[in-house]
Structures are given as structure tokens and as C-alpha cells.
Amino acid sequence: MRLPCLLLPCAAFLLAVTALRAQPTSEAEIEIAVEKLLSQMTLAEKLGQMSQRHYNTKSLTNPADSASAVRNGQVGSFLNPDSAETVNQLQKIAVEESRLKIPLIFGIDVIHGYRTLFPIPLGQSCSWNPELIEAAGRVAAIEASSAGIRWTFAPMLDITRDARWGRIAETLGEDPVLTSRLGAAMVRGFQGKNLTAPDSIAACAKHYVGYGAAEGGRDYNTTLIPEAELRNIYLPSFHAAKEAGVQTYMSAFNDLNGVPASGNVFTLRQVLQKEWGFDGFVVSDWESVKEMIVHGAAADLHDAARLGINAGVDMEMVSTSYRDHSEALLREGAISPAMIDDSVRRILRVKFRLGLFDNPYTDTTRPSPLLTEESLRVARELATQSIVLLKNEKFLLPLSPDSTKTVAVIGPLADSATDMRGCWSCRGEANECRTVYSVFKDYVGPKGKVLYSPGLKHGSSTDTAEIAAAVKTARKADVVILCVGEPHELSGEARCRAFLDLPGAQDPLISAIAATGKPIVLVVFGGRPLTFAKAAALSQAILYAWHPGTMAGPAICDLLYGRANPSGKLTVTFPRTVGQIPLYYNHKNTGRPVPIDPKAAQTPLGTAEDPKGYYSQYLDLPQAPAYPFGYGLSYTTFTYSDLKIETPDANGVIAATASIANTGARDGVEIVQLYTRQLVGTLTRPVKELKDFQRIALKAGEKRTVHFTLPKQSLGYYDNTGRFLLEPGKFHLWIAPNSAEGEPLEFMLTQ
Ligand code: BGC
């Protein structure tokens, strides 16, 4: 099926465009242009702008329907168009045949790359590298815009403390400060320096708000978040996106404290519009306006539209309650004309800012920017920096082609290109992803040998028939690279898991390989923290690789062979077992914290000798996580000393310094983390809060002083009435390699 044949050569498109209104160049001119246009619009045209349709092959079965909807001004946006040609065809109808010639805006989920795939966002965050993440966002924008996409539904800025939630893969970790910094970098990368540039795409901060707090880690589930927690943990990253100039937000699926996020006057009108002064637009999530009926918050579509419009959800994704019910709602006075105008004004403003009125078409003659050498370089670098070295017994890594002649690459994920992509892989193609096995021969040297055996047909397979062959392969090798973990389809939206163990028969495979006595380097892929204590104990080295994207294999092999030195650090706490969840580093102390007593730590919990006491703990598990937030090793070692707080009276800014020395034999990068704790507060305060970080490159043997300056304001917090408190008193401050190490200094905050 085809759309009516409207495709003209590009030059003709461009000529036609000159007939359109001139692009206003300043914000003031944009406002004038918006008002002028608004004053000419009928109600139906306004509701058209507030409607987003899904473009799919089904809508192609009736192309006339899409075309006539555009012609009649009944649609303002499409999501998921399949090509620049489609975009140009629909755009041509909008800007030449519709009455007011308002261009469409086309969006898609460019989450971690369009065609060149970067690591999943959770992986990217482990680089703690805003500049590189921004560069990846830029590549993604350049690629996506070449297909007519001028809007991505990213970055995802949700905070979660629950690895069961499949969408943890899309987050930037559990910390609000880190998520804010990296999320803002993504916004800058997508939107570029100039929004009107044809390769800039509008970003969308989602899912506003609280979605990651889904009870039990079950997608779409209820969230209950007190206001203080909402403002201190869940809102800061969304605010940082606003400060970075994000043009759109997406209202979430969840109900928040009993009010669906897509009908939430408090979060949308009060916080986003009034407090933050956001002037772009809010799109609902997929039918999340309609789903307010299922939530039990709206009686029917009529009621759902009323809630959405009143709350300030400006554009409805896919469902059509606005289109079908607004006229009646206006007649009844249940919504006001001013609300409709405000929504349309916001949408038009963003379209003007993107330069769509002046330049609605996609230039299909420009050379393809997909998978360029530079894009692949950024992808390889980001994948390398996102991978975390969790263990390296007796410096098994890096491997040397001289001493490690025969390598066995084993495991169901060793050559699974599909699984390298991860969730939300947009237009990334599996056959363009390089697996570990596919590139290994480039690393072993001329005399080296690579053997391969998957051991299991698929990551989730329970069929153990091929394990024997893998064991045979392992026996012939000097070292085994064992590639295990979570296949991509277990991660992402609606991919929640009650157990976080390695799926299928991966544990029996690992045990069988370990029984050969060969040294094992475990490479774990996944969209979330997995629980793999047994496999970890059987391995001498562990790289946690997430789902690394197009350049998975080269990045992993660069690390295995020391062409790159691991620098990634975890941005999420790894539980020992699912029963510890929620487990996060910035928790409260409680009235009964487990005492830090090394003797007690050696006593098996839950045994007769266990001096249990009445503490906040489990009887059958140590309190500590498997790996703490901020943790990650390098092939070199770093030592921290001379922590100083230079302005202990803290009037103005707090300045802190520490000396970091590279005490190993290799150059490396250390991610230095600054944490504080307010000892006494009107509300109880977390035991640690990340306030700042720096990535520093140190040559072998080099020592450097790192300087941090903290604005006093960063020590404040919100209470449950929305009041910001900056309270004088004692604070602790750490400069440390992760959230579990280091000794603090004390300082006083004075008013
Ligand atoms: C997801 C959003 C996404 C939207 C459009 C929804 O199911 O929750 O994150 O942007 O679909 O694809």
C-alpha cells in the first residue's frame, strides 16, 4: 500500500517552502507569529494540533485517511514514521494543502541511538561522562533528523530503586544529581546549539513523574511518593532538563498518590508550569489520557479528556479523547477556551523554535549520516567507558596475546548480535552490531587461536545439550571468556522480572565450565543489575557490559586486552538477591541501623551464634549490597589522601580538596565522588548524598589534587509542604572512590 503519490523531487519541495511565512528569529517574534496563527484557527484546527497519531503500516492501508486528516488540520504530529519520504509526503500536504499550512512534527523513541546504537542509558550513565553522552546525543540527532525525525521521546529521567522494573535500562541510575547532569547532557546533545538547525531534534523529558517508583517494580503500577521525596529524589532531573532547555515533557502512565500523572494538576500546572516556568508542551504517554478510565479516575473518554486538558497535557498521544470530546466539554464549561489556546500556543511555539515553518522538509539529497566512522568511534568510546570491571583476581586482566595463546569464547551472548542492541533499539540493526566473538580474532595476535562454543542456544534456553561441547572447548583453552546475562527481550518496557538471576541454564553452564579449572573472565550483559553471586564466585574476573550497542565487541575486547583501561562505575546499587530490594545508597539511617562491627559481620546470620540484636536487617543475608553505587575497578589502583575542607564555616561555597594518586603501573581514569550527609535535620536525611563528581585521567605514578566547590544551596532539601530548607548544623563530607568507602570530614553549615 502507498500514500497518494505526492513525492516530488527535493528541489521542488524547497522552492515550495519559500512561499511559507518567514521564520521568526527571536522569541518575541515567535510569540507574535504564534498569536497571529492562533487567532486564525478554528476549534477543530486547534484540536488537530493537540492530536498525535501513530504512523504505521496499518494507517497506510488507508492512506487517504492520514492524508485527509492532515489536509483538514486534524493532526499536529505523527509518531514512528518509517522514512524521510513518508515525512516529506505528509509534510507537503500539511504545509501546502491545509488551510493554515502548519507543519507537522514527527517523533520517535531515539533512546540510545537511531541507527548507530550506543549502550542502553543505564550503561551510558556508568561512564559518568556528560560530554561523551552529549556527543552520543548529537550523533543520534543527526541520524534521526536525516529520516525526518525532529523530536525524540528521550531522555528518560525516571529514578528507580528497583531492578525488577524492566525500564531501569532506560534510566541514568538511582541518583538524582547524576541523572540531572547526564540527562541535561542528553538534552543538549539532541537539541544541539541551535534548535532551528535541520539536524537538531526536540528532546522530551519523560516520564513525568514518579513512574520509576512503581510498586514491586511492576511496570505501570501505582506510585506513592511523599512530596519531600518527590521534590528531593524524583523531580530534580526533570528540573535540570528544563534548565537545559528541553522543549517537551511526557506525562507518565502511573498514578501518583492516587492521581494519574496524565491528569495531575499539581505536578503539571503547579510544579512544571508555575514553579519552573516551562513554556514548551507536554505530550501524554501512549494513550495515557484514555487509560485514566482504567485507573478509575475518569468515567469515560469525555471525562478523561477533561482531566488531561485541565491538568495541562497539551498533546494526546494516539487516543482521541481531545479530538472527540473537547467541543462538548467547552460547551459544558468543564474546560476553558483559554486552556485549549494555551496548549496550542505551546505546541506552535515549539514548532516555530524548531524552524519547521521555514524548513518543514527533510533534505533527502544530503549524504547519509548513518553509521559514519565518527559515530562508530563515539559508540565504541561510550561503550568502553560504560563497562564496569567488578572483579579482577590476581590481575587476570588485561590479557596478553603473548601469554594467552588459545582463548575460548563461550556463552549464549558471545555471538548474539540481537542482544547487543538492548531495548528500544530504534532503527539499529542486529547485523550491524559487532559481537565479542565476531571481532576476537583481531585481538589474539598472529599466533593466537580463538575457539567458540555457545553452550546454550539462547540466553533463556534451558536445554543443556550443548554444554558438553562448551566444556570440551574450554578444556583446550588458556582462558575462557564466558559471555552470559540477560537477552534483550527480558529488558525494557513491560519486561519486569520477579527474579534477577541469570536466565535459562546459564548457571549450570558456568558451573560446568568452572569445573574445568580454566580461568574465567565473566562478561555479563543485561539491562539491569542481575544477581549472579555463584557465577561471580566461580570467575576470576568480571566485566559488567550492560547492552553495549553497535560497538559491543570492539569495546569489550579493547578492555579485555588492555587497549583501554576500565573506568566505568556503577550508577545503581547491585543487590545480592531480589529480596533486598529496594536497596539504594542514599537511604535513611533508621533508628536501628546495623552496627558496623567486623566481628559480627563474620558471624553467620540467623545462626545460634548470631548476636542478632534488634536491627534493621534480614536474618539470612548481610545488609551490604553485592556491589555498591559508585563502585568499579581499573587495571591500575588509586589512593585517596589529604581530604580538606577549605572553608569550614561554609559561608557561600564549600570548597573541598583531596589528593588522588595513581599507584599502579598503568595510566587510568578515576571517577572521584563527593558525598555529604546532614547529621540532623527537620526531616531525617539520607546517610549519604552524591553532590558532585569528576573524571580525572592520571598517568601511572601521577598524583593530583582535585578541587570541588559546592554551592551552599546544594545542601538544602524540600519538606513535605514543598518548603526548601537549608539548615545550619553539622555535615559530613567524603571524597571517595564509591559510596561505600572513605572516611568523612566534618564541617558546620552556618546561616
Ligand atoms: C512508552 C514511552 C514511549 C511511547 C511511544 C510508551 O509505551 O512508555 O516511553 O515514548 O510508548 O513509543
Side-chain angles (χ1 to χ4, degrees):
M1 289 289 176
R2 300 183 319 147
L3 278 173
C5 185
L6 294 159
L7 184 61
L8 294 176
C10 194
F13 274 156
L14 296 176
L15 272 181
V17 177
T18 52
L20 297 173
R21 58 186 71 68
Q23 171 69 30
T25 48
S26 68
E27 281 292 303
E29 282 175 20
I30 287 178
E31 291 310 301
I32 294 169
V34 166
E35 292 310 321
K36 190 165 167 213
L37 199 47
L38 194 58
S39 68
Q40 299 166 42
M41 291 172 81
T42 63
L43 177 62
E45 284 164 336
K46 290 177 184 174
L47 298 176
Q49 289 303 308
M50 293 168 69
S51 304
Q52 183 183 56
R53 288 195 178 195
H54 183 217
Y55 180 89
N56 62 8
T57 37
K58 271 201 207 122
S59 63
L60 283 181
T61 57
N62 188 2
D65 180 46
S66 283
S68 78
V70 175
R71 193 173 292 112
N72 297 332
Q74 289 165 335
V75 53
S77 173
F78 283 92
L79 77 155
N80 300 339
D82 56 3
S83 67
E85 285 70 27
T86 299
V87 166
N88 280 341
Q89 285 172 352
L90 291 168
Q91 196 67 292
K92 181 170 162 37
I93 302 171
V95 301
E96 289 189 22
E97 299 176 33
S98 76
R99 192 178 74 90
L100 292 172
K101 310 194 179 342
I102 301 173
L104 297 158
I105 178 170
F106 294 88
I108 200 170
D109 292 276
V110 184
I111 306 297
H112 54 109
Y114 179 78
R115 182 74 167 267
T116 302
L117 294 177
F118 303 98
I120 52 165
L122 185 55
Q124 289 188 34
S125 69
C126 294
S127 72
W128 300 58
N129 190 337
E131 290 77 25
L132 190 56
I133 288 174
E134 181 175 338
R138 198 80 285 283
V139 169
I142 291 168
E143 289 195 348
S145 59
S146 75
I149 303 299
R150 294 297 306 280
W151 183 19
T152 174
F153 307 120
M156 200 253 229
L157 299 173
D158 296 313
I159 301 281
T160 190
R161 292 162 163 180
D162 198 327
R164 290 172 294 184
W165 192 46
R167 301 198 82 166
I168 192 172
E170 294 172 62
T171 70
L172 295 165
E174 72 192 25
D175 182 73
V177 168
L178 186 61
T179 302
S180 299
R181 291 268 187 95
L182 303 183
M186 282 187 168
V187 170
R188 289 194 300 272
F190 291 137
Q191 296 194 168
K193 289 203 166 41
N194 173 10
L195 260 182
T196 58
D199 61 7
S200 286
I201 64 177
C204 180
K206 73 183 188 186
H207 307 82
Y208 192 75
V209 59
Y211 184 38
E215 278 188 350
R218 232 165 45 240
D219 214 353
Y220 319 118
N221 206 6
T222 304
T223 63
L224 293 163
I225 310 175
E227 185 169 345
E229 200 75 346
L230 189 67
R231 290 186 182 270
N232 295 324
I233 303 292
Y234 295 90
L235 283 169
S237 50
F238 287 93
H239 185 239
K242 151 75 180 54
E243 296 297 293
V246 77
Q247 291 299 307
T248 70
Y249 282 73
M250 183 183 289
S251 65
F253 285 128
N254 54 298
D255 75 325
L256 171 63
N257 302 329
V259 182
S262 292
N264 200 308
V265 175
F266 171 66
T267 56
L268 290 161
R269 292 260 185 231
Q270 168 64 26
V271 177
L272 185 61
Q273 289 185 5
K274 282 214 188 86
E275 294 180 22
W276 299 353
F278 173 66
D279 67 0
F281 72 87
V282 176
V283 65
S284 76
D285 204 340
W286 185 285
E287 297 201 329
S288 67
V289 172
K290 180 173 154 188
E291 284 180 16
M292 288 196 280
I293 304 169
V294 192
H295 273 291
D300 49 26
L301 280 172
H302 186 83
D303 212 17
R306 177 183 63 81
L307 290 178
I309 292 170
N310 270 292
V313 174
D314 305 301
M315 184 184 278
E316 185 178 13
M317 185 186 278
V318 179
S319 51
T320 57
S321 71
Y322 287 11
R323 186 194 73 191
D324 299 337
H325 296 276
S326 293
E327 199 176 338
L329 286 166
L330 281 165
R331 263 200 316 272
E332 292 159 17
I335 58 171
S336 68
M339 283 175 184
I340 298 285
D341 283 356
D342 183 53
S343 287
V344 177
R345 190 176 281 126
R346 289 166 177 276
I347 294 164
L348 295 177
R349 187 178 287 140
V350 171
K351 289 184 174 183
F352 272 113
R353 284 180 181 162
L354 281 167
L356 286 170
F357 284 87
D358 212 22
N359 198 6
Y361 296 116
T362 303
D363 182 356
T364 50
T365 62
R366 61 172 164 137
S368 168
L370 305 180
L371 295 162
T372 63
E373 212 176 295
E374 172 58 9
S375 310
L376 295 176
R377 186 195 65 75
V378 177
R380 183 177 191 152
E381 186 58 35
L382 190 45
T384 308
Q385 292 191 19
S386 72
I387 294 167
V388 185
L389 179 68
L390 295 178
K391 179 177 182 181
N392 195 16
E393 234 171 57
K394 297 193 194 132
F395 290 100
L396 174 61
L397 292 178
L399 303 175
S400 145
D402 301 328
S403 52
T404 324
K405 294 267 187 306
T406 307
V407 181
V409 177
I410 291 177
L413 282 95
D415 196 27
S416 174
T418 302
D419 291 322
M420 299 302 101
R421 294 190 301 176
C423 60
W424 292 108
S425 49
C426 205
R427 302 290 188 240
E429 292 183 12
N431 62 14
E432 290 159 356
C433 291
R434 303 183 200 168
T435 64
V436 171
Y437 176 58
S438 73
V439 300
F440 219 96
K441 60 182 177 323
D442 303 338
Y443 288 80
V444 285
K447 292 194 199 119
K449 222 163 140 192
V450 192
L451 310 173
Y452 169 64
S453 186
L456 298 171
K457 278 204 173 61
H458 178 269
S460 298
S461 170
T462 49
D463 178 356
T464 54
E466 291 182 24
I467 292 182
V471 168
K472 237 170 148 182
T473 307
R475 285 214 178 93
K476 294 184 203 143
D478 300 317
V479 65
V480 177
I481 311 298
L482 193 43
C483 299
V484 298
E486 199 173 50
H488 78 284
E489 69 272 9
L490 294 187
S491 160
E493 185 175 350
R495 303 291 193 267
C496 302
R497 297 181 62 194
F499 299 98
L500 302 179
D501 300 339
L502 296 171
Q506 293 191 35
D507 272 323
L509 169 67
I510 296 164
S511 299
I513 301 296
T516 65
K518 299 290 178 178
I520 295 177
V521 178
L522 198 70
V523 180
V524 188
F525 296 92
R528 51 161 64 83
L530 295 169
T531 52
F532 54 101
K534 194 170 162 214
L538 293 173
S539 308
Q540 285 65 50
I542 306 170
L543 284 175
Y544 208 86
W546 309 105
H547 287 135
T550 309
M551 296 302 276
I556 291 166
C557 292
D558 283 351
L559 292 170
L560 290 175
Y561 279 89
R563 294 189 195 174
N565 191 349
S567 60
K569 294 206 181 190
L570 299 178
T571 58
V572 63
T573 304
F574 274 47
R576 290 166 191 264
T577 182
V578 79
Q580 282 183 306
I581 292 173
L583 191 69
Y584 47 96
Y585 87 93
N586 48 354
H587 58 85
K588 302 290 184 70
N589 203 36
T590 80
R592 301 267 176 106
V594 183
I596 304 169
D597 171 1
K599 231 168 76 203
Q602 281 159 23
T603 313
L605 288 165
T607 62
E609 311 86 70
D610 176 14
K612 297 178 197 60
Y614 288 81
Y615 302 122
S616 175
Q617 65 175 351
Y618 297 108
L619 287 182
D620 44 6
L621 206 65
Q623 177 74 1
Y627 305 100
F629 175 87
Y631 175 81
L633 301 172
S634 161
Y635 294 153
T636 188
T637 46
F638 298 99
T639 55
Y640 286 60
S641 60
D642 306 328
L643 174 59
K644 285 194 193 97
I645 301 176
E646 290 180 345
T647 48
D649 66 350
N651 281 324
V653 292
I654 296 104
T657 61
S659 296
I660 320 290
N662 179 343
T663 44
R666 284 173 176 269
D667 300 351
V669 169
E670 170 68 342
I671 296 164
V672 183
Q673 300 157 40
L674 187 151
Y675 297 91
T676 61
R677 174 178 181 181
Q678 179 176 348
L679 297 190
V680 179
T682 301
L683 293 187
T684 57
R685 310 301 306 128
V687 296
K688 261 182 198 179
E689 293 176 89
L690 181 80
K691 295 293 171 186
D692 203 355
F693 59 90
Q694 287 180 34
R695 300 182 94 251
I696 57 161
L698 289 177
K699 297 242 173 280
E702 188 183 347
K703 184 172 180 172
R704 193 177 320 150
T705 303
V706 291
H707 298 262
F708 287 97
T709 49
L710 286 188
K712 210 160 117 174
Q713 290 296 105
S714 70
L715 299 173
Y717 65 97
Y718 289 92
D719 72 5
N720 277 310
T721 64
R723 228 172 10 137
F724 186 72
L725 304 177
L726 186 60
E727 300 178 315
K730 272 188 198 162
F731 281 75
H732 281 175
L733 184 150
W734 293 255
I735 295 181
N738 60 60
S739 66
E741 286 181 51
E743 288 302 322
L745 281 188
E746 195 166 288
F747 69 94
M748 287 292 292
L749 179 72
T750 54
Q751 260 321 359

